[in-house]
Amino acid sequence: MRRVRYGIFFAGLLASSPLLANTSWQQTEAQARGQTVWFNAWGGDPAVNRYLDWVSGEVKRDYDITLRIVHIADAADTVKRIQTEAKAGRTHNGSVDLLWVNGENFRTLKEADLLKTGWAEQLPNWRYVDVQKPVREDFSVPTDGAESPWGSAQLTFIARREQTSQPPLSAADLLSFAAAHPGTVTYPRPPDFTATAFLEQLLLVLTTQPDALKLPPNAETFAEVTAPLWAYLDKLHPQLWRKGTDFPASPAKMDAMLANGTLRLSLTFNPMHAAQKVASGELPKDSYSFGFRKGMIGNVHFVTIPANARSPQAAQVVANFLLSPAAQQRKADAAFWGDPTVLDMQKLPEPWPEVTSEQTPAVLAEPHAAWVNALEQEWLRRYGTH
């Protein structure tokens, strides 16, 4: 028995050795050469699309991987495609190799066992990741190595200094601000992602039972937990643009309305969005970001690999490149994209030069992923027919 124990001990020692891990990664890179990765990613922002074009050129040059970007409007559409393939028995050669995902869509795929697991923390560039960020859970759902973090995000307001020198810094302030400037405040129509995040933000700061949000909603307590949110919206809506009878289709529409003076506030889920849009000339130069004094809801967004991916090795190499200091630095720079990094600056081999950034408020953890659908459905029931 002693020999067996020693054998197990030495096997474990070898498995954890950097040399063996490095050899394993070299094998992954070798298998990845010549493969094509079909990367399904949200295509709604030109800056994001330009960045992904740059990534495509880098991985082609350095790893001989052909990266095909499939621009999608909603990750839920890709989730349905993966589910359809699974129902048809397509366990190999799937149409998706890599997917930009988080939250409810990740939970749906993970619970159906449709994702490759256990790979993310084996990526060489994981050593640079800031593990103080929520990189091991996604909307309270453990990732189990099925997602590699890609960027940070946080709900953020945008205003113009010429119009709004003193922004509202709490939910109560926002209500007073809307009443003082009727018709100039609004939010996107749910189920837009940013709209739902706005509902979650308000619920988080208004509810008397915040701990209930860490678990899926309970049918018996849902009305009680959410009552302060609906009472608040009932007061807010009459002060909004078009008196809350209509809502912009997207944050991009709100940006345009802010730029032309119709609105005093816009919304985004990227704290560096305003800086990036000012740099590109899409928002006026006096645009700035802000959040509530006690914090704003935030998360990490990830890339994941379906269990039936055609090129899982190349997908891992691309995910590892997305975590590299060079790729993360370029992504964080508002001149290119302005998407905050998931890396720990203290872990980097050399410091970054200064990049354009924004001061951000404290990050509030998002509710459990199951709250997304519950809040959207109740909002539509209450306000969707207006």
Side-chain angles (χ1 to χ4, degrees):
M1 290 297 292
R2 188 173 297 164
R3 286 181 186 170
V4 172
R5 285 183 187 142
Y6 285 153
I8 292 171
F9 171 77
F10 284 118
L13 197 63
L14 285 170
S16 61
S17 87
L19 182 61
L20 195 66
N22 187 49
T23 301
S24 176
W25 182 251
Q26 287 176 344
Q27 291 173 344
T28 299
E29 285 190 340
Q31 291 174 306
R33 289 195 171 275
Q35 291 186 347
T36 296
V37 171
W38 292 91
F39 183 9
N40 283 233
W42 178 66
D45 189 321
V48 176
N49 297 338
R50 287 192 296 270
Y51 177 78
L52 290 176
D53 288 342
W54 173 80
V55 170
S56 298
E58 297 294 296
V59 298
K60 182 64 175 178
R61 184 194 66 207
D62 294 345
Y63 305 104
D64 191 25
I65 292 171
T66 300
L67 187 61
R68 301 291 190 198
I69 309 299
V70 180
H71 298 295
I72 56 176
D74 190 335
D77 297 333
T78 303
V79 169
K80 290 174 185 174
R81 180 146 40 92
I82 294 169
Q83 290 172 319
T84 300
E85 291 177 358
K87 288 175 184 174
R90 190 172 172 181
T91 57
H92 301 286
N93 297 325
S95 63
V96 182
D97 297 298
L98 198 62
L99 172 63
W100 181 5
V101 70
N102 72 343
E104 188 180 19
N105 291 315
F106 169 69
R107 180 177 69 110
T108 298
L109 291 171
K110 183 171 183 282
E111 289 182 351
D113 200 25
L114 295 176
L115 296 176
K116 182 177 174 63
T117 60
W119 58 272
E121 295 191 31
Q122 308 306 312
L123 299 177
N125 286 330
W126 177 270
R127 66 186 183 273
Y128 302 127
V129 170
D130 183 354
V131 294
Q132 298 304 308
K133 293 181 181 290
V135 294
R136 290 186 168 118
E137 66 174 37
D138 189 347
F139 283 60
S140 299
V141 177
T143 59
D144 295 328
E147 289 183 302
S148 174
W150 187 21
S152 300
Q154 188 174 24
L155 186 67
T156 305
F157 292 100
I158 304 172
R160 294 180 58 187
R161 296 194 187 281
E162 184 179 312
Q163 284 184 322
T164 307
S165 58
Q166 294 296 322
L169 299 178
S170 69
D173 286 354
L174 180 62
L175 192 59
S176 299
F177 183 87
H181 307 284
T184 67
V185 175
T186 190
Y187 59 95
R189 180 182 176 85
D192 172 84
F193 177 87
T194 304
T196 305
F198 178 66
L199 298 181
E200 291 180 315
Q201 169 75 31
L202 291 175
L203 178 60
L204 201 61
V205 299
L206 294 171
T207 185
T208 58
Q209 301 180 47
D211 287 347
L213 304 182
K214 298 175 183 177
L215 301 170
N218 182 312
E220 295 181 2
T221 60
F222 180 81
E224 183 182 353
V225 171
T226 60
L229 169 63
W230 313 124
Y232 179 92
L233 292 180
D234 286 346
K235 294 177 184 175
L236 180 66
H237 280 191
Q239 309 300 331
L240 297 184
W241 175 71
R242 294 185 176 173
K243 297 185 177 181
T245 61
D246 192 14
F247 295 84
S250 66
K253 179 64 175 175
M254 288 184 65
D255 281 354
M257 295 166 74
L258 176 70
N260 69 24
T262 302
L263 295 181
R264 285 177 174 262
L265 302 178
S266 188
L267 268 176
T268 177
F269 210 75
N270 180 350
M272 294 168 70
H273 177 86
Q276 190 260 318
K277 294 302 180 185
V278 167
S280 68
E282 294 170 77
L283 280 179
K285 292 187 183 301
D286 65 337
S287 301
Y288 68 98
S289 299
F290 71 94
F292 286 168
R293 190 180 295 107
K294 293 185 177 179
M296 297 292 283
I297 201 167
N299 66 24
V300 167
H301 55 90
F302 301 81
V303 292
T304 192
I305 302 173
N308 71 343
R310 186 186 302 265
S311 305
Q313 297 89 1
Q316 289 179 65
V317 172
V318 173
N320 188 60
F321 174 78
L322 294 174
L323 275 181
S324 68
Q328 286 280 308
Q329 180 187 329
R330 186 182 182 94
K331 184 171 65 69
D333 192 334
F336 295 104
W337 176 356
D339 185 59
T341 185
V342 292
L343 302 187
D344 183 340
M345 295 297 102
Q346 305 305 312
K347 294 180 178 179
L348 299 185
E350 55 187 53
W352 284 0
E354 288 295 316
V355 298
T356 306
S357 63
E358 291 278 355
Q359 190 71 27
T360 58
V363 176
L364 305 180
E366 287 193 296
H368 188 279
W371 281 91
V372 170
N373 186 60
L375 288 176
E376 288 173 353
Q377 293 304 314
E378 183 63 12
W379 188 96
L380 290 169
R381 187 184 74 80
R382 289 172 176 266
Y383 311 112
T385 57
H386 292 180

